[in-house]
Amino acid sequence: MKLKIITHERIVFEGEVDELVIQTKSGQMGILKDHIPITTALDIGVTKAIINGKNKYFATMGGIFQFKDNIATILTDVCEDGCEIDVTRASEAKRRAEARLADASAKVNAERAQAALARSLARLKAALNK
């Protein structure tokens, strides 16, 4: 099946894959060739593409997933190939988000801090799984 990951700025990935594991709003979902057509909302998380028995990881920051006629399309604002993620930067973002959430005296928008934490964790997972 064919996978295409598209952001506003570029095509992050386009190629043949054997299997996909995506993070939807209702949990993880696996997609194989000849899956029934589906359109679903993606959550912040990791998309795993299996290509010739090897795993390739992408940090996907939400978006829409569509599968039809053995073509999988991910439309997202931000997607990063795990091989291109700066682990030091993602670790620092995780530390900052955790510090904001732990500081009870600070006026922190908890929802924004939780989202920042989720994004940094997705980046780290995608980068470290390579």
Side-chain angles (χ1 to χ4, degrees), residues 72-87:
T73 305
I74 293 175
L75 302 174
T76 182
D77 290 333
V78 178
C79 179
E80 298 172 60
D81 186 321
C83 297
E84 299 173 357
I85 292 172
D86 182 337
V87 174

Side-chain angles (χ1 to χ4, degrees), residues 117-128:
L117 180 59
R119 288 190 303 272
S120 64
L121 289 172
R123 285 183 176 107
L124 287 170
K125 185 175 179 185
L128 298 175

Side-chain angles (χ1 to χ4, degrees), residues 11-12 16 23 25-26 34 36 39 41-42 44 47-48 50 58 63-64 66 72 87 99 101 103 108-109 118 126-127:
I11 296 173
V12 176
E16 293 292 320
Q23 185 64 46
K25 293 284 187 179
S26 57
D34 297 326
I36 62 169
T39 300
L42 294 174
I44 295 170
T47 295
K48 177 171 77 170
I50 301 171
F58 300 91
I64 300 292
Q66 181 180 45
V87 174
L101 288 169
D103 187 357
V108 173
N109 182 330

